[in-house]
Amino acid sequence: MFGINITAHSRTDGSLIPDSILETLRFIRKQLCLDKDFPFVGQVGVESKVIPGLDKGVQGMCVNERRKITIPPHLAYGVLGAGLVIPPDATLVFDVLLLDLWNKEDKVQIRILHKQQNCKRTVMPSDFVRYHYNGSLLVGNLFDSSNLRNSTYDTYVGQGSLIKGMDEGLLGMCVGERRSIIIPPFLAYDDKGYGTKVPPYATLIFDVLLVDVFNVKDDVKVEVQKIPQPCRRRTVVGDFIRYHYNGSFQDGTVFDSSYSRNSTYNTFIGMGYVIAGIDKALQGVCVGEWRRVTVPPHLAYGENGSGELIPGSAVLIFDLHIIDFHNPKDQVDIKVIYKPAECNLISAANDLIMYRYNCSLLDGTRLYSSDDYPEPPRVTLGQGKLIAGLDEGLQGMCVLERREITVPPHLAHGTNGASGVPSNAVLLFELELLQLQKGVPEGFLFIWLQDSPEPLFPAMDMNQDQEVPLEEFSAFIKLQVAEGRGRLHPGIDSDVILGDMFKKQDRNADGKITEDELNINVNEDNDVPKHEEL
Protein backbone atom coordinates (compact mmCIF):
# COMPACT_ATOMS: atom_id res chain seq x y z
CA MET A 1 0.00 0.00 0.00
CA PHE A 2 1.53 3.28 -1.03
CA GLY A 3 0.63 6.86 -1.85
CA ILE A 4 1.69 8.16 -5.26
CA ASN A 5 2.12 11.55 -6.91
CA ILE A 6 2.61 11.28 -10.70
CA THR A 7 4.41 13.66 -13.02
CA ALA A 8 4.66 12.81 -16.75
CA HIS A 9 7.30 14.25 -19.09
CA SER A 10 7.45 14.07 -22.92
CA ARG A 11 10.29 12.11 -24.46
CA THR A 12 11.62 15.05 -26.52
CA ASP A 13 11.69 18.22 -24.37
CA GLY A 14 10.62 17.10 -20.91
CA SER A 15 7.86 19.73 -20.65
CA LEU A 16 4.94 19.13 -18.33
CA ILE A 17 1.67 17.74 -19.60
CA PRO A 18 -0.65 20.60 -20.57
CA ASP A 19 -3.50 21.64 -18.23
CA SER A 20 -6.02 20.55 -20.84
CA ILE A 21 -5.45 16.90 -20.01
CA LEU A 22 -5.37 17.17 -16.17
CA GLU A 23 -8.94 15.92 -15.91
CA THR A 24 -7.91 12.75 -17.72
CA LEU A 25 -4.94 12.41 -15.34
CA ARG A 26 -7.30 12.57 -12.39
CA PHE A 27 -9.30 9.79 -13.99
CA ILE A 28 -6.19 7.64 -14.16
CA ARG A 29 -5.48 8.34 -10.47
CA LYS A 30 -8.96 7.18 -9.66
CA GLN A 31 -8.50 4.02 -11.64
CA LEU A 32 -5.37 3.33 -9.61
CA CYS A 33 -7.24 3.96 -6.38
CA LEU A 34 -5.28 7.15 -5.90
CA ASP A 35 -8.17 9.23 -4.57
CA LYS A 36 -7.32 11.83 -1.98
CA ASP A 37 -8.39 9.64 0.95
CA PHE A 38 -7.28 6.25 -0.33
CA PRO A 39 -3.77 5.11 -1.12
CA PHE A 40 -2.99 2.69 -3.91
CA VAL A 41 -3.24 -0.96 -2.96
CA GLY A 42 -1.64 -3.52 -5.18
CA GLN A 43 0.47 -6.68 -5.37
CA VAL A 44 4.12 -6.50 -6.27
CA GLY A 45 5.67 -8.92 -8.74
CA VAL A 46 3.34 -11.84 -9.45
CA GLU A 47 -0.01 -10.77 -10.84
CA SER A 48 0.98 -7.11 -10.49
CA LYS A 49 -1.51 -4.60 -11.84
CA VAL A 50 0.92 -1.72 -12.21
CA ILE A 51 3.38 -0.81 -14.96
CA PRO A 52 6.64 -2.82 -14.83
CA GLY A 53 8.76 0.18 -13.86
CA LEU A 54 6.64 1.04 -10.84
CA ASP A 55 6.45 -2.63 -9.89
CA LYS A 56 10.23 -2.82 -9.98
CA GLY A 57 10.75 0.58 -8.33
CA VAL A 58 8.84 -0.16 -5.13
CA GLN A 59 10.60 -3.45 -4.48
CA GLY A 60 12.92 -3.27 -1.48
CA MET A 61 11.08 -0.35 0.10
CA CYS A 62 10.42 -0.10 3.84
CA VAL A 63 7.30 1.25 5.47
CA ASN A 64 7.47 5.03 5.76
CA GLU A 65 10.20 5.12 3.08
CA ARG A 66 9.73 7.74 0.41
CA ARG A 67 11.14 7.30 -3.11
CA LYS A 68 11.21 9.24 -6.33
CA ILE A 69 10.93 6.67 -9.08
CA THR A 70 11.71 7.73 -12.68
CA ILE A 71 10.40 5.23 -15.20
CA PRO A 72 11.50 5.22 -18.86
CA PRO A 73 8.83 4.76 -21.52
CA HIS A 74 9.61 1.14 -22.27
CA LEU A 75 8.83 0.26 -18.60
CA ALA A 76 5.79 2.57 -18.57
CA TYR A 77 3.31 3.05 -21.42
CA GLY A 78 5.80 2.78 -24.29
CA VAL A 79 5.18 4.08 -27.79
CA LEU A 80 1.43 3.98 -27.35
CA GLY A 81 1.15 6.17 -24.31
CA ALA A 82 -2.10 6.19 -22.33
CA GLY A 83 -4.87 7.88 -24.21
CA LEU A 84 -4.85 11.63 -24.00
CA VAL A 85 -3.13 11.66 -20.60
CA ILE A 86 0.29 10.14 -21.19
CA PRO A 87 1.81 10.77 -24.60
CA PRO A 88 3.82 8.12 -26.45
CA ASP A 89 7.36 7.53 -25.25
CA ALA A 90 6.74 9.53 -22.03
CA THR A 91 9.07 9.22 -19.05
CA LEU A 92 7.08 9.08 -15.79
CA VAL A 93 8.16 10.26 -12.34
CA PHE A 94 6.44 8.80 -9.31
CA ASP A 95 6.75 10.25 -5.77
CA VAL A 96 6.01 7.18 -3.67
CA LEU A 97 5.48 6.86 0.12
CA LEU A 98 5.14 3.25 1.30
CA LEU A 99 2.38 3.05 3.92
CA ASP A 100 1.97 -0.67 4.44
CA LEU A 101 3.02 -4.03 3.10
CA TRP A 102 2.01 -7.62 3.68
CA ASN A 103 2.04 -10.99 2.04
CA LYS A 104 -0.82 -13.40 1.61
CA GLU A 105 1.24 -15.94 3.52
CA ASP A 106 1.74 -13.63 6.50
CA LYS A 107 0.68 -14.77 9.94
CA VAL A 108 0.19 -12.95 13.21
CA GLN A 109 3.59 -11.84 14.51
CA ILE A 110 4.14 -11.75 18.26
CA ARG A 111 7.02 -9.98 19.93
CA ILE A 112 7.23 -10.43 23.71
CA LEU A 113 8.37 -7.16 25.23
CA HIS A 114 8.12 -8.17 28.90
CA LYS A 115 7.06 -11.32 30.71
CA GLN A 116 6.78 -12.09 34.41
CA GLN A 117 9.21 -14.67 35.78
CA ASN A 118 6.51 -16.57 37.64
CA CYS A 119 3.71 -17.24 35.18
CA LYS A 120 1.23 -19.68 36.68
CA ARG A 121 -1.47 -19.34 34.05
CA THR A 122 -1.73 -18.30 30.41
CA VAL A 123 -4.65 -17.20 28.27
CA MET A 124 -6.66 -20.03 26.76
CA PRO A 125 -9.63 -20.07 24.39
CA SER A 126 -12.91 -19.11 26.15
CA ASP A 127 -11.04 -17.16 28.87
CA PHE A 128 -12.20 -13.68 29.78
CA VAL A 129 -9.42 -11.10 29.63
CA ARG A 130 -8.89 -7.50 30.62
CA TYR A 131 -6.07 -5.70 28.84
CA HIS A 132 -4.73 -2.30 27.90
CA TYR A 133 -3.62 -1.61 24.36
CA ASN A 134 -2.32 0.97 21.94
CA GLY A 135 -3.35 0.32 18.34
CA SER A 136 -1.38 1.85 15.47
CA LEU A 137 -0.79 1.49 11.75
CA LEU A 138 2.56 0.40 10.34
CA VAL A 139 3.46 4.03 9.67
CA GLY A 140 3.08 4.70 13.39
CA ASN A 141 -0.23 6.54 13.38
CA LEU A 142 -2.17 5.78 16.57
CA PHE A 143 -5.77 4.91 15.76
CA ASP A 144 -7.01 3.80 19.20
CA SER A 145 -5.86 3.38 22.80
CA SER A 146 -7.51 2.01 25.94
CA ASN A 147 -4.94 3.95 27.96
CA LEU A 148 -6.39 7.24 26.73
CA ARG A 149 -9.77 6.15 28.04
CA ASN A 150 -8.19 4.96 31.31
CA SER A 151 -10.20 1.76 31.00
CA THR A 152 -9.22 -1.78 30.07
CA TYR A 153 -10.74 -3.60 27.13
CA ASP A 154 -12.68 -6.55 28.55
CA THR A 155 -13.75 -9.50 26.40
CA TYR A 156 -13.80 -13.25 25.83
CA VAL A 157 -11.03 -14.84 23.79
CA GLY A 158 -11.74 -17.18 20.88
CA GLN A 159 -15.48 -16.56 20.76
CA GLY A 160 -15.68 -14.11 17.87
CA SER A 161 -15.67 -10.94 19.96
CA LEU A 162 -12.30 -9.84 18.56
CA ILE A 163 -10.67 -9.67 15.17
CA LYS A 164 -9.09 -13.03 14.35
CA GLY A 165 -5.53 -11.80 14.69
CA MET A 166 -6.12 -10.43 18.19
CA ASP A 167 -7.85 -13.65 19.24
CA GLU A 168 -4.69 -15.46 18.20
CA GLY A 169 -2.23 -12.92 19.56
CA LEU A 170 -3.65 -13.00 23.10
CA LEU A 171 -3.30 -16.76 23.50
CA GLY A 172 -0.54 -17.84 25.85
CA MET A 173 -0.17 -14.47 27.55
CA CYS A 174 0.48 -14.13 31.28
CA VAL A 175 -0.87 -11.41 33.52
CA GLY A 176 1.60 -8.55 33.46
CA GLU A 177 3.02 -9.62 30.10
CA ARG A 178 3.46 -7.01 27.37
CA ARG A 179 3.35 -7.99 23.71
CA SER A 180 3.56 -6.32 20.36
CA ILE A 181 1.07 -8.08 18.08
CA ILE A 182 1.31 -7.42 14.32
CA ILE A 183 -1.81 -8.45 12.43
CA PRO A 184 -2.05 -8.59 8.61
CA PRO A 185 -5.17 -7.05 7.06
CA PHE A 186 -6.91 -10.32 6.21
CA LEU A 187 -6.81 -11.20 9.96
CA ALA A 188 -7.91 -7.69 10.92
CA TYR A 189 -10.44 -5.50 9.08
CA ASP A 190 -9.42 -6.61 5.56
CA ASP A 191 -10.83 -4.54 2.69
CA LYS A 192 -13.49 -2.83 4.79
CA GLY A 193 -11.29 -1.04 7.27
CA TYR A 194 -12.87 0.32 10.44
CA GLY A 195 -14.52 3.72 10.35
CA THR A 196 -12.29 6.60 9.45
CA LYS A 197 -9.34 5.51 11.60
CA VAL A 198 -8.39 2.16 10.08
CA PRO A 199 -8.15 2.20 6.27
CA PRO A 200 -8.88 -0.88 4.16
CA TYR A 201 -6.09 -3.42 3.86
CA ALA A 202 -4.24 -1.97 6.86
CA THR A 203 -1.74 -3.98 8.86
CA LEU A 204 -2.34 -3.30 12.57
CA ILE A 205 0.11 -3.20 15.45
CA PHE A 206 -1.22 -3.64 18.98
CA ASP A 207 0.95 -3.00 22.01
CA VAL A 208 -0.91 -5.10 24.63
CA LEU A 209 -0.55 -5.30 28.41
CA LEU A 210 -2.55 -8.15 29.96
CA VAL A 211 -4.14 -7.00 33.22
CA ASP A 212 -6.41 -9.90 34.10
CA VAL A 213 -7.52 -13.35 32.97
CA PHE A 214 -10.05 -15.84 34.26
CA ASN A 215 -12.53 -18.43 33.07
CA VAL A 216 -16.20 -18.57 34.01
CA LYS A 217 -15.57 -22.12 35.21
CA ASP A 218 -12.91 -20.96 37.67
CA ASP A 219 -13.41 -21.58 41.37
CA VAL A 220 -11.69 -19.93 44.30
CA LYS A 221 -8.01 -20.82 44.34
CA VAL A 222 -6.43 -21.19 47.79
CA GLU A 223 -2.68 -21.31 48.28
CA VAL A 224 -1.79 -22.20 51.88
CA GLN A 225 1.46 -20.45 52.70
CA LYS A 226 1.87 -21.23 56.40
CA ILE A 227 0.04 -23.37 58.97
CA PRO A 228 1.19 -23.16 62.58
CA GLN A 229 1.55 -26.46 64.39
CA PRO A 230 -0.35 -27.78 66.11
CA CYS A 231 -3.62 -26.66 64.52
CA ARG A 232 -6.10 -27.56 67.23
CA ARG A 233 -9.18 -26.41 65.41
CA ARG A 234 -10.31 -25.26 61.97
CA THR A 235 -13.06 -22.82 61.14
CA VAL A 236 -16.57 -23.91 60.19
CA VAL A 237 -19.67 -22.09 59.01
CA GLY A 238 -21.06 -19.92 61.80
CA ASP A 239 -17.70 -19.10 63.38
CA PHE A 240 -16.75 -15.48 63.98
CA ILE A 241 -13.30 -14.66 62.62
CA ARG A 242 -10.78 -11.83 62.85
CA TYR A 243 -8.16 -11.55 60.12
CA HIS A 244 -5.80 -9.14 58.42
CA TYR A 245 -5.61 -8.91 54.65
CA ASN A 246 -4.01 -7.21 51.68
CA GLY A 247 -6.24 -7.07 48.61
CA SER A 248 -4.64 -6.67 45.18
CA PHE A 249 -5.31 -7.21 41.49
CA GLN A 250 -3.45 -9.77 39.42
CA ASP A 251 -0.97 -7.13 38.26
CA GLY A 252 0.03 -6.55 41.89
CA THR A 253 -1.79 -3.25 42.42
CA VAL A 254 -3.07 -3.08 46.01
CA PHE A 255 -6.65 -1.83 46.28
CA ASP A 256 -7.26 -2.30 50.02
CA SER A 257 -5.54 -3.37 53.23
CA SER A 258 -6.66 -3.88 56.81
CA TYR A 259 -3.07 -3.18 57.90
CA SER A 260 -3.37 0.41 56.69
CA ARG A 261 -6.28 0.85 59.10
CA ASN A 262 -4.46 -0.99 61.90
CA SER A 263 -7.61 -3.01 62.47
CA THR A 264 -8.60 -6.57 61.64
CA TYR A 265 -11.62 -7.38 59.52
CA ASN A 266 -14.17 -9.13 61.72
CA THR A 267 -17.07 -11.18 60.38
CA PHE A 268 -19.07 -14.38 60.57
CA ILE A 269 -18.10 -17.18 58.18
CA GLY A 270 -20.45 -18.66 55.59
CA MET A 271 -23.31 -16.28 56.31
CA GLY A 272 -23.00 -13.92 53.33
CA TYR A 273 -21.38 -10.97 55.07
CA VAL A 274 -18.40 -11.00 52.69
CA ILE A 275 -18.01 -11.81 48.97
CA ALA A 276 -18.73 -15.45 48.17
CA GLY A 277 -15.13 -16.31 47.33
CA ILE A 278 -13.77 -15.12 50.67
CA ASP A 279 -16.68 -16.71 52.53
CA LYS A 280 -15.59 -20.01 51.03
CA ALA A 281 -11.85 -19.47 51.49
CA LEU A 282 -12.21 -18.69 55.21
CA GLN A 283 -13.61 -22.14 55.93
CA GLY A 284 -11.13 -24.66 57.28
CA VAL A 285 -8.44 -22.19 58.36
CA CYS A 286 -6.35 -22.36 61.54
CA VAL A 287 -5.42 -19.57 63.92
CA GLY A 288 -2.18 -18.02 62.68
CA GLU A 289 -2.54 -19.46 59.17
CA TRP A 290 -1.45 -17.49 56.09
CA ARG A 291 -3.36 -17.99 52.83
CA ARG A 292 -3.30 -16.43 49.38
CA VAL A 293 -6.76 -16.54 47.85
CA THR A 294 -7.51 -15.84 44.18
CA VAL A 295 -11.16 -14.96 43.64
CA PRO A 296 -12.67 -14.85 40.11
CA PRO A 297 -15.08 -11.96 39.47
CA HIS A 298 -18.21 -14.12 39.52
CA LEU A 299 -17.36 -14.94 43.15
CA ALA A 300 -16.30 -11.35 43.92
CA TYR A 301 -17.88 -8.13 42.60
CA GLY A 302 -18.85 -9.39 39.15
CA GLU A 303 -19.00 -7.32 36.01
CA ASN A 304 -20.09 -4.19 37.89
CA GLY A 305 -17.11 -3.98 40.23
CA SER A 306 -17.32 -1.90 43.39
CA GLY A 307 -17.37 1.87 43.05
CA GLU A 308 -14.13 3.44 41.87
CA LEU A 309 -12.05 0.97 43.86
CA ILE A 310 -12.60 -2.29 41.96
CA PRO A 311 -13.30 -2.34 38.21
CA GLY A 312 -15.82 -4.67 36.64
CA SER A 313 -14.79 -8.28 35.96
CA ALA A 314 -11.68 -7.98 38.14
CA VAL A 315 -9.93 -11.03 39.59
CA LEU A 316 -9.02 -10.29 43.21
CA ILE A 317 -6.11 -11.66 45.23
CA PHE A 318 -6.26 -11.62 49.02
CA ASP A 319 -3.30 -12.37 51.28
CA LEU A 320 -4.93 -13.43 54.55
CA HIS A 321 -3.50 -13.77 58.06
CA ILE A 322 -5.91 -15.41 60.49
CA ILE A 323 -5.69 -13.74 63.90
CA ASP A 324 -8.35 -15.72 65.76
CA PHE A 325 -11.84 -17.14 65.52
CA HIS A 326 -14.51 -18.49 67.81
CA ASN A 327 -18.07 -19.67 67.83
CA PRO A 328 -20.77 -17.88 69.81
CA LYS A 329 -21.45 -21.21 71.54
CA ASP A 330 -17.82 -21.64 72.65
CA GLN A 331 -17.00 -22.10 76.32
CA VAL A 332 -13.71 -21.57 78.12
CA ASP A 333 -11.13 -24.08 76.91
CA ILE A 334 -8.86 -25.30 79.72
CA LYS A 335 -5.56 -27.07 79.17
CA VAL A 336 -3.73 -28.24 82.30
CA ILE A 337 0.03 -27.73 81.86
CA TYR A 338 1.11 -28.92 85.32
CA LYS A 339 -0.72 -30.32 88.32
CA PRO A 340 0.93 -31.26 91.67
CA ALA A 341 0.75 -34.89 92.73
CA GLU A 342 -0.88 -33.88 96.02
CA CYS A 343 -3.93 -31.69 95.61
CA ASN A 344 -5.91 -31.42 98.87
CA LEU A 345 -7.70 -28.16 98.15
CA ILE A 346 -9.07 -26.81 94.89
CA SER A 347 -10.25 -23.30 94.19
CA ALA A 348 -13.94 -22.50 93.98
CA ALA A 349 -16.32 -19.54 94.04
CA ASN A 350 -15.85 -17.26 97.07
CA ASP A 351 -12.28 -18.44 97.63
CA LEU A 352 -9.52 -15.89 97.98
CA ILE A 353 -6.64 -16.68 95.68
CA MET A 354 -3.33 -15.23 94.59
CA TYR A 355 -2.29 -16.09 91.07
CA ARG A 356 0.15 -15.31 88.30
CA TYR A 357 -0.90 -14.72 84.69
CA ASN A 358 0.19 -13.75 81.20
CA CYS A 359 -2.47 -12.64 78.73
CA SER A 360 -2.03 -12.53 74.96
CA LEU A 361 -3.97 -12.70 71.72
CA LEU A 362 -3.98 -15.98 69.82
CA ASP A 363 -1.41 -14.62 67.37
CA GLY A 364 1.02 -14.23 70.27
CA THR A 365 0.59 -10.49 70.79
CA ARG A 366 1.26 -9.83 74.48
CA LEU A 367 -1.43 -7.76 76.19
CA TYR A 368 -0.65 -7.71 79.92
CA SER A 369 0.97 -9.76 82.67
CA SER A 370 1.05 -10.00 86.46
CA ASP A 371 4.81 -9.64 86.11
CA ASP A 372 4.18 -5.98 85.25
CA TYR A 373 3.17 -5.31 88.88
CA PRO A 374 5.07 -5.47 92.18
CA GLU A 375 2.95 -8.33 93.51
CA PRO A 376 0.67 -10.95 91.97
CA PRO A 377 -3.03 -10.08 92.23
CA ARG A 378 -5.37 -11.38 94.93
CA VAL A 379 -9.03 -11.81 94.18
CA THR A 380 -12.13 -13.52 95.51
CA LEU A 381 -13.53 -15.85 92.89
CA GLY A 382 -17.15 -15.75 91.84
CA GLN A 383 -17.67 -12.15 92.98
CA GLY A 384 -17.66 -10.50 89.52
CA LYS A 385 -14.19 -9.06 90.01
CA LEU A 386 -12.80 -10.75 86.88
CA ILE A 387 -14.00 -11.31 83.33
CA ALA A 388 -16.29 -14.33 83.37
CA GLY A 389 -13.98 -16.62 81.40
CA LEU A 390 -10.94 -15.95 83.58
CA ASP A 391 -12.99 -16.45 86.75
CA GLU A 392 -14.17 -19.79 85.43
CA GLY A 393 -10.68 -20.82 84.34
CA LEU A 394 -9.25 -20.13 87.82
CA GLN A 395 -11.73 -22.40 89.56
CA GLY A 396 -10.95 -26.05 90.23
CA MET A 397 -7.20 -25.39 90.50
CA CYS A 398 -4.71 -26.72 93.02
CA VAL A 399 -2.02 -24.53 94.50
CA LEU A 400 0.98 -24.45 92.11
CA GLU A 401 -1.14 -25.84 89.27
CA ARG A 402 -0.50 -24.22 85.88
CA ARG A 403 -3.09 -23.86 83.16
CA GLU A 404 -3.51 -22.42 79.71
CA ILE A 405 -7.05 -21.21 79.10
CA THR A 406 -8.65 -19.82 75.95
CA VAL A 407 -11.46 -17.36 76.57
CA PRO A 408 -13.92 -16.45 73.77
CA PRO A 409 -14.84 -12.77 73.53
CA HIS A 410 -18.38 -13.20 74.88
CA LEU A 411 -16.76 -14.40 78.12
CA ALA A 412 -14.02 -11.75 77.95
CA HIS A 413 -14.27 -8.13 76.78
CA GLY A 414 -16.88 -8.69 74.05
CA THR A 415 -17.51 -6.48 71.06
CA ASN A 416 -16.29 -3.33 72.81
CA GLY A 417 -12.86 -4.65 73.77
CA ALA A 418 -10.89 -2.93 76.53
CA SER A 419 -7.78 -0.83 76.92
CA GLY A 420 -5.24 -2.53 74.68
CA VAL A 421 -7.67 -5.36 73.85
CA PRO A 422 -9.28 -5.34 70.37
CA SER A 423 -13.00 -5.87 70.01
CA ASN A 424 -14.14 -9.50 69.62
CA ALA A 425 -10.71 -10.76 70.64
CA VAL A 426 -10.15 -14.31 71.86
CA LEU A 427 -7.78 -14.20 74.84
CA LEU A 428 -5.15 -16.71 75.87
CA PHE A 429 -4.17 -16.83 79.57
CA GLU A 430 -1.22 -18.64 81.11
CA LEU A 431 -2.15 -19.15 84.78
CA GLU A 432 -0.44 -20.38 87.94
CA LEU A 433 -2.26 -20.59 91.28
CA LEU A 434 0.09 -19.39 94.02
CA GLN A 435 -2.10 -19.25 97.15
CA LEU A 436 -5.57 -20.37 98.11
CA GLN A 437 -7.76 -19.43 101.06
CA LYS A 438 -11.12 -21.11 101.12
CA GLY A 439 -13.96 -18.64 101.27
CA VAL A 440 -17.48 -18.22 102.51
CA PRO A 441 -20.68 -17.58 100.56
CA GLU A 442 -21.27 -14.04 99.36
CA GLY A 443 -22.74 -11.90 102.14
CA PHE A 444 -21.38 -14.09 104.94
CA LEU A 445 -18.49 -13.34 107.27
CA PHE A 446 -18.26 -16.77 108.92
CA ILE A 447 -19.52 -20.27 108.18
CA TRP A 448 -19.56 -23.51 110.11
CA LEU A 449 -17.69 -26.36 108.47
CA GLN A 450 -19.21 -28.81 110.96
CA ASP A 451 -22.37 -28.76 113.01
CA SER A 452 -22.34 -25.86 115.43
CA PRO A 453 -22.38 -26.65 119.18
CA GLU A 454 -25.84 -27.35 120.51
CA PRO A 455 -26.81 -25.39 122.49
CA LEU A 456 -24.53 -22.65 121.17
CA PHE A 457 -24.62 -20.01 123.92
CA PRO A 458 -23.20 -22.19 126.77
CA ALA A 459 -20.30 -23.14 124.46
CA MET A 460 -19.68 -19.50 123.64
CA ASP A 461 -19.99 -18.38 127.29
CA MET A 462 -16.65 -19.84 128.16
CA ASN A 463 -16.58 -18.50 131.76
CA GLN A 464 -20.27 -19.33 132.28
CA ASP A 465 -21.23 -15.84 133.54
CA GLN A 466 -24.30 -15.71 131.25
CA GLU A 467 -22.84 -12.95 129.09
CA VAL A 468 -20.33 -12.86 126.28
CA PRO A 469 -18.28 -9.70 125.72
CA LEU A 470 -16.34 -9.03 122.50
CA GLU A 471 -13.12 -10.53 123.82
CA GLU A 472 -14.82 -13.80 124.78
CA PHE A 473 -16.78 -13.86 121.50
CA SER A 474 -13.58 -13.36 119.47
CA ALA A 475 -11.72 -16.05 121.38
CA PHE A 476 -14.55 -18.54 120.77
CA ILE A 477 -14.75 -17.92 117.01
CA LYS A 478 -10.96 -18.03 116.59
CA LEU A 479 -10.93 -21.38 118.42
CA GLN A 480 -13.51 -22.78 115.96
CA VAL A 481 -11.40 -21.62 113.04
CA ALA A 482 -8.20 -23.00 114.54
CA GLU A 483 -9.80 -26.41 115.12
CA GLY A 484 -11.26 -26.53 111.58
CA ARG A 485 -14.89 -26.31 112.63
CA GLY A 486 -15.49 -22.88 111.11
CA ARG A 487 -14.12 -20.40 108.53
CA LEU A 488 -13.86 -16.62 108.45
CA HIS A 489 -14.20 -14.55 105.29
CA PRO A 490 -10.72 -14.47 103.70
CA GLY A 491 -9.06 -11.29 102.68
CA ILE A 492 -10.48 -9.19 105.53
CA ASP A 493 -8.78 -8.53 108.88
CA SER A 494 -10.17 -11.07 111.37
CA ASP A 495 -10.65 -8.47 114.11
CA VAL A 496 -12.75 -6.36 111.72
CA ILE A 497 -14.87 -9.39 110.87
CA LEU A 498 -15.30 -10.40 114.50
CA GLY A 499 -16.23 -6.87 115.49
CA ASP A 500 -18.87 -6.73 112.78
CA MET A 501 -20.27 -10.14 113.73
CA PHE A 502 -20.39 -9.12 117.41
CA LYS A 503 -22.31 -5.91 116.66
CA LYS A 504 -24.93 -7.85 114.73
CA GLN A 505 -25.47 -10.20 117.68
CA ASP A 506 -25.30 -7.50 120.39
CA ARG A 507 -28.72 -6.26 119.48
CA ASN A 508 -29.09 -3.78 122.37
CA ALA A 509 -25.54 -2.53 121.88
CA ASP A 510 -24.62 -2.89 125.55
CA GLY A 511 -21.25 -4.46 124.81
CA LYS A 512 -22.22 -8.04 125.58
CA ILE A 513 -24.29 -10.85 124.06
CA THR A 514 -26.88 -12.65 126.11
CA GLU A 515 -28.57 -15.93 125.42
CA ASP A 516 -31.79 -14.16 124.52
CA GLU A 517 -30.02 -11.98 121.95
CA LEU A 518 -28.31 -14.97 120.40
CA ASN A 519 -31.58 -16.86 120.04
CA ILE A 520 -33.26 -14.09 118.04
CA ASN A 521 -32.98 -15.11 114.39
CA VAL A 522 -35.26 -12.56 112.78
CA ASN A 523 -35.63 -8.84 113.04
CA GLU A 524 -38.47 -6.95 114.57
CA ASP A 525 -40.52 -7.03 111.35
CA ASN A 526 -40.31 -10.82 111.20
CA ASP A 527 -38.38 -10.61 107.91
CA VAL A 528 -35.90 -13.24 106.81
CA PRO A 529 -32.61 -13.30 108.69
CA LYS A 530 -29.89 -10.95 107.54
CA HIS A 531 -27.05 -13.14 108.83
CA GLU A 532 -27.12 -16.70 110.05
CA GLU A 533 -23.40 -17.23 110.58
CA LEU A 534 -24.03 -18.41 114.16
Side-chain angles (χ1 to χ4, degrees), residues 31-192:
Q31 294 301 308
L32 292 174
C33 298
L34 300 181
D35 288 323
K36 179 179 179 181
D37 296 327
F38 295 98
F40 173 75
V41 179
Q43 189 171 3
V44 175
V46 180
E47 299 180 359
S48 176
K49 296 180 180 180
V50 298
I51 56 177
L54 182 59
D55 189 80
K56 184 176 181 179
V58 299
Q59 294 185 31
M61 287 186 74
C62 300
V63 172
N64 263 338
E65 181 180 341
R66 190 164 198 149
R67 285 184 179 181
K68 183 177 182 180
I69 303 173
T70 303
I71 304 175
H74 62 281
L75 294 176
Y77 293 97
V79 296
L80 298 178
L84 299 176
V85 179
I86 299 177
D89 295 317
T91 297
L92 305 181
V93 179
F94 288 84
D95 183 10
V96 178
L97 173 64
L98 187 63
L99 303 177
D100 205 338
L101 75 159
W102 71 91
N103 190 285
K104 291 182 179 180
E105 303 298 323
D106 283 350
K107 300 182 182 300
V108 174
Q109 297 181 56
I110 297 173
R111 298 174 184 172
I112 297 177
L113 307 177
H114 172 74
K115 190 170 186 176
Q116 301 285 1
Q117 292 289 335
N118 185 16
C119 180
K120 297 181 179 179
R121 173 175 182 171
T122 60
V123 176
M124 302 288 289
S126 80
D127 281 347
F128 191 92
V129 295
R130 297 173 53 238
Y131 62 92
H132 275 298
Y133 70 91
N134 291 322
S136 60
L137 305 177
L138 276 185
V139 292
N141 295 342
L142 185 72
F143 64 82
D144 194 14
S145 173
S146 66
N147 295 287
L148 296 178
R149 295 188 294 273
N150 196 28
S151 176
T152 57
Y153 191 81
D154 307 343
T155 186
Y156 287 96
V157 176
Q159 297 193 7
S161 302
L162 296 166
I163 57 176
K164 293 180 180 180
M166 184 60 82
D167 255 341
E168 182 180 336
L170 290 171
L171 293 176
M173 285 193 77
C174 304
V175 170
E177 181 178 340
R178 186 183 293 276
R179 284 184 177 183
S180 178
I181 303 173
I182 304 174
I183 304 174
F186 47 87
L187 294 175
Y189 296 105
D190 206 19
D191 61 344
K192 296 180 178 60

Side-chain angles (χ1 to χ4, degrees), residues 63 113 161 194 236 277 281 296 300 343 441 456 462 484 492 509 523 529 531:
V63 172
L113 307 177
S161 302
Y194 188 79
V236 296
C343 182
L456 177 59
M462 300 173 70
I492 303 176
N523 63 20
H531 290 282

Side-chain angles (χ1 to χ4, degrees), residues 355-400:
Y355 66 104
R356 180 179 173 275
Y357 68 89
N358 291 316
C359 178
S360 63
L361 301 177
L362 292 191
D363 66 352
T365 302
R366 182 181 182 275
L367 297 179
Y368 40 80
S369 171
S370 60
D371 295 338
D372 298 334
Y373 302 92
E375 293 184 358
R378 295 175 181 269
V379 69
T380 301
L381 297 177
Q383 302 291 314
K385 306 295 184 181
L386 302 171
I387 58 173
L390 178 58
D391 200 310
E392 179 181 337
L394 284 166
Q395 297 188 35
M397 292 186 72
C398 305
V399 174
L400 299 182

